Amino acid sequence: QAQLVESGGGLVQPGGSLRLSCAASGLVFRLYSVGWFRQVPGKEREFLGGKSYRDGRTKYADSVRGRFTISRDNDKNTVYLQMNSLKSEDTATYYCAATGRPQADYSYEYPYWGQGTQVTVSS
């Protein structure tokens, strides 16, 4: 059974950095595209970016482009989200997800999800 487990969340000051990790098991990780989403209470889950398994191309949402970077290590079955220049509005629960599609921007396109990790940006 496929499982994704996020880690690395926590409290960070505005302007700071944080790196989230997402460890995958139970699937042939190199054959899955990965995505990162976030959600705050009362709002829809927001797509942050995704990396295609097919060509490695990465797509980012406008809200995080230039500040967030997605990378993956297929040998470790892990995907990362490096977050720099964090703002208070980045406070949310962050989720990683995996799909067999070569590229996916919407949450319904991802069948596998982690449990989420909380990121709080505050002074």
Side-chain angles (χ1 to χ4, degrees):
Q1 183 176 354
Q3 186 175 19
L4 303 176
V5 179
E6 300 100 336
S7 61
L11 174 65
V12 61
Q13 292 187 343
S17 297
L18 209 58
R19 189 178 80 157
L20 306 183
S21 300
C22 172
S25 61
L27 48 78
V28 184
F29 184 66
R30 62 182 174 82
L31 297 181
Y32 284 79
S33 299
V34 291
W36 283 95
F37 293 76
R38 67 186 179 190
Q39 190 170 24
V40 297
K43 292 190 175 182
E44 292 188 358
R45 195 163 291 189
E46 177 189 9
F47 172 77
L48 303 178
K51 179 176 279 291
S52 171
Y53 78 88
R54 181 173 291 178
D55 56 14
R57 189 176 304 178
T58 309
K59 183 177 181 179
Y60 295 97
D62 290 342
S63 58
V64 303
R65 187 178 294 111
R67 298 190 299 125
F68 290 11
T69 302
I70 297 173
S71 61
R72 65 188 295 166
D73 185 336
N74 287 340
D75 290 336
K76 295 182 178 180
N77 286 359
T78 300
V79 59
Y80 304 95
L81 180 66
Q82 177 67 44
M83 305 185 293
N84 299 327
S85 303
L86 284 163
K87 310 173 183 178
S88 58
E89 51 263 44
D90 293 319
T91 295
T93 300
Y94 283 69
Y95 299 88
C96 65
T99 178
R101 297 171 181 251
Q103 184 66 52
D105 301 351
Y106 300 96
S107 58
Y108 69 83
E109 297 179 291
Y110 289 84
Y112 304 113
W113 291 84
Q115 82 288 352
T117 186
Q118 178 66 36
V119 172
T120 302
V121 184
S122 175
S123 55

